Amino acid sequence: MHSEPDWSAATRQFQQSLGDSWAKAVQAAGIAPALPSGAAITFSPEKLAALQQAYLKEAAELWNHGLAGVAAGDKRFASEAWGTNPVAAFSAATYLLNGRTLLGMVEAAETDPKTKARLRFAVEQWMAASAPSNFLALNAEAQRKAVETRGESIARGIQNLLNDMQQGHVSMTDESQFEVGRNVATTEGAVVYENELMQLIEYKPTTAKVYERPYLVVPPCINKFYILDLQPENSLVKFLVDQGHRTFVVSWRNPDESMHDKTWDDYVAQGPLEAIDVVQDITGARQINALGFCVGGTLLGTALAVLAARGEKPVQCATFLTTLLDFSDTGVLDLFIDENFVKLREMQMGDRGLLKGQELASTFSFLRPNDLVWNYVVGNYLKGETPPAFDLLYWNSDSTNLPGPMYAWYLRNTYLENNLVKPGKVTVCGEKIDLRSIDMPVYVYGSREDHIVPIGAAYASVNHLPGKRRFVMGASGHIAGVINPPVKKKRSYWTNDKLPKLHAEWLQGATEHPGSWWTDWADWLRPQGGKQVPAPKRFGKGTAYKPIEPAPGRYVRAKS
C-alpha cells in the first residue's frame, strides 16, 4: 500500500511529466503565440484528479506486465514483430497511454471551444509525429525487415528519401506509373478555348443524340480537374457524356509568377462567367446546366449571383458537390483561421505573390497525419518500400499554386467573415452578391465523413438558395464520397425530400439507399437537359472556336 508521501511524489512527477509534454505539443503546433502573454492554461480540478488516478492505475498495470505491453487496436503496431519484441511492445503501449492522457488533459482544460480545439489539434499532431513507429530505433517491424533483407531495406529507404527530397514531397504512390493524358485523364476531347486562367475542354459525345442544354463542369482551382476523370470506370466526366450530356470542363491553369496579381474577381470573370459565355456561343443554347465541385462550386455560386444581379439567367440548373457557400462551420480548417492569420497572409501576398501548391497540399495532408504523412514516412524510408500505384494519390500529389491576392480575398471573405451569405456585403465583378437571387433548381451533395467540407456545412447551402432544391448525402469523405461510380456498387447515399434548417433534422427523416448517388443525380438531371438533339460531329464551332489541342490540354500538365 502506498504511503501519502509516495502518492504526492507520484502526483508531482505526473504533473511535471505531462506539463513538459503539453508545452512541447503546444509549441509543435505553433499555437503558443496565440495565447496571451503570461497566461496559463487552467484545468478542471475534478477532471484532472480523475485523469491522474486513471493514468497511475493504467501505468501500474502496464508496468506489472513487465516489458510485454500490448498496443491493441492501433494498426501502426499491429504486426507480429511488435508483439514479439517486448521493448517495442512496451514503448508502443506507453506511447498510447500518454497520448490518451494528453487528450484527456485537453478535455479538462477550461478555455473557449476554439482554443480547446486548437490544443486538441496540437496534441494530435505531436502524438502522430512522436509515435515510436516513426523511428528506426523503436520500430520493431522495420528492424526485422532490415535484418531479413541484410540492410537492403535501409539502403532503399535512403534512396527513397533522397528522391523525395529532390521532388519536394513525400511520395504517396509510385508516381512513375502515371502520366496525365496517357493513363489518367483519358476521356476523348479537345481544348476549344483558352484564356490566361483556364482552358475549356469539350468532350466527344458517345451517344447519337445529346440534350439540348450542354453541361459545364467547374472543378476546384486548388486541384487539377482530372480527379473527375481518373479512369474510364470511375470518371464523372465520362459518366456525364455517356448519359447524353454535351460536356465541357474548365481546366484551370497552374499559376506561375506571371499571375501573381490575379484576384477572386479575375477567377470568377475568366473562369465560370467566361466559360458559360463560350459554351453558349459554341452550342447555340439559350441556357446551359452547370456543376461546381468544392471551391469550383463556390466560384460557380458567386458567378451565378453576379449574373442574377445583372438580370441574366444563362444557367437553367446547378449542382454543388461538397461545396461551401455558407462558411459558418468549416470543421478543422477553422483552427487555422483568425484575424491575425488572415492579416499576416494579406501582408505577405494580398497585393501580389503566390501560395505554393506544396504548402496547401501539406496543410490538407496534416489534417490526417497518420494516414497521409507518417504512414508513408515509415513505409518509404524505414521499410524501404515503394508505395503501390494509386491514381487518386497521384492526383493528390499533383499540387497547384494559387495567386496571393485571390487567396487572401478568399480567406477573409469566406473562412473568416462568411460574407457570401450576407446579402450585398461583398462586390464581385462590379455586382453586389446575394445568393438569394440564384433562383433555379439545384442539386446539393455532401459527404458524410468529409473533413474539408463538413456535412452540416454542405447542407447549409439549401438555406440560402431559393429555387427547388434537392439534398443528397453520400458515404465516405471529400473525394471518395464524390468519386463513387455505380459500377462499383459500393457505399450508400441518403435522401429526404423535406429540407429543415439543420442537417441533423434532415438526417432523422432520411432514407438510406445502397450504391452510388450518381444514379439519383442522373435521374434528377435528365429532365433538366431539355429535348434530345443530334450529337455534334466535331469539336468547337467554325473558325472562332477551333480545337487548340487534344484533351486534357497543356494547362493541367504544368507542375507547381
Side-chain angles (χ1 to χ4, degrees), residues 1-9:
M1 184 173 179
H2 293 291
S3 65
E4 185 63 29
D6 290 337
W7 174 259
S8 299

Side-chain angles (χ1 to χ4, degrees), residues 392-453:
L392 191 150
L393 290 177
Y394 172 77
W395 165 84
N396 190 63
S397 299
D398 195 2
S399 57
T400 306
N401 302 325
L402 284 179
M406 177 268 194
Y407 171 65
W409 189 99
Y410 179 60
L411 280 181
R412 175 165 294 282
N413 288 284
T414 59
Y415 280 94
L416 182 64
E417 298 182 359
N418 195 21
N419 286 332
L420 290 180
V421 297
K422 301 172 183 176
K425 177 66 175 179
V426 292
T427 299
V428 177
C429 299
E431 307 294 344
K432 290 191 177 296
I433 299 303
D434 187 350
L435 298 180
R436 299 174 304 177
S437 65
I438 305 175
D439 189 4
M440 64 183 66
V442 294
Y443 188 101
V444 180
Y445 168 84
S447 291
R448 185 178 58 181
E449 288 91 27
D450 196 333
H451 63 293
I452 295 173
V453 179

Side-chain angles (χ1 to χ4, degrees), residues 225-520:
F225 84 89
Y226 64 88
I227 184 58
L228 301 174
D229 188 32
L230 285 173
Q231 304 292 334
E233 62 270 16
N234 66 1
S235 170
L236 187 69
V237 171
K238 186 175 186 302
F239 179 79
L240 272 170
V241 172
D242 290 344
Q243 294 293 310
H245 297 281
R246 188 175 179 183
T247 304
F248 296 79
V249 174
V250 169
S251 173
W252 296 101
R253 183 178 172 189
N254 193 349
D256 57 24
E257 292 296 338
S258 69
M259 300 170 63
H260 63 81
D261 59 348
K262 294 301 177 184
T263 65
W264 181 263
D265 281 33
D266 292 325
Y267 268 76
V268 172
Q270 297 181 49
L273 286 179
E274 200 156 315
I276 289 169
D277 284 343
V278 173
V279 171
Q280 285 183 294
D281 286 346
I282 290 175
T283 63
R286 188 177 65 85
Q287 285 188 310
I288 73 170
N289 294 323
L291 175 151
F293 175 27
C294 187
V295 181
T298 310
L299 285 165
L300 176 62
T302 306
L304 294 176
V306 169
L307 290 167
R310 294 173 179 173
E312 302 173 19
K313 194 178 179 182
V315 177
Q316 196 276 335
C317 79
T319 296
F320 295 101
L321 304 182
T322 57
T323 291
L324 286 170
L325 295 177
D326 183 336
F327 286 73
S328 299
D329 174 16
T330 57
V332 68
L333 291 176
D334 182 60
L335 303 179
F336 302 96
I337 311 297
D338 58 21
E339 181 66 33
N340 290 333
F341 174 79
V342 174
K343 279 186 176 178
L344 174 64
R345 285 309 208 183
E346 289 172 337
M347 290 172 57
Q348 292 173 329
M349 56 183 69
D351 295 322
R352 57 185 296 166
L354 284 180
L355 176 70
K356 293 296 185 179
Q358 191 52 49
E359 181 179 345
L360 202 59
S362 296
T363 298
F364 286 118
S365 291
F366 274 98
L367 298 181
R368 294 169 54 198
N370 286 327
D371 293 333
L372 296 180
V373 181
W374 300 109
N375 173 52
Y376 297 103
V377 168
V378 172
N380 296 1
Y381 312 146
L382 302 191
K383 300 179 186 177
E385 298 170 346
T386 299
F390 188 13
D391 52 9
L392 191 150
L393 290 177
Y394 172 77
W395 165 84
N396 190 63
S397 299
D398 195 2
S399 57
T400 306
N401 302 325
L402 284 179
M406 177 268 194
Y407 171 65
W409 189 99
Y410 179 60
L411 280 181
R412 175 165 294 282
N413 288 284
T414 59
Y415 280 94
L416 182 64
E417 298 182 359
N418 195 21
N419 286 332
L420 290 180
V421 297
K422 301 172 183 176
K425 177 66 175 179
V426 292
T427 299
V428 177
C429 299
E431 307 294 344
K432 290 191 177 296
I433 299 303
D434 187 350
L435 298 180
R436 299 174 304 177
S437 65
I438 305 175
D439 189 4
M440 64 183 66
V442 294
Y443 188 101
V444 180
Y445 168 84
S447 291
R448 185 178 58 181
E449 288 91 27
D450 196 333
H451 63 293
I452 295 173
V453 179
I455 185 63
Y459 180 83
S461 295
V462 304
N463 295 321
H464 304 284
L465 302 172
K468 189 174 182 180
R469 299 148 295 162
R470 180 168 181 78
F471 180 82
V472 173
M473 181 180 76
S476 198
H478 189 68
I479 298 299
V482 171
I483 308 303
N484 183 30
V487 293
K488 298 289 187 180
K489 297 181 179 179
K490 293 173 62 177
R491 306 189 180 97
S492 299
Y493 66 96
W494 289 259
T495 62
N496 183 355
D497 291 337
K498 295 181 179 180
L499 296 174
K501 185 173 179 61
L502 299 176
H503 170 260
E505 299 170 357
W506 177 91
L507 187 58
Q508 290 178 357
T511 301
E512 182 177 359
H513 310 272
S516 171
W517 63 270
W518 290 16
T519 54
D520 180 84

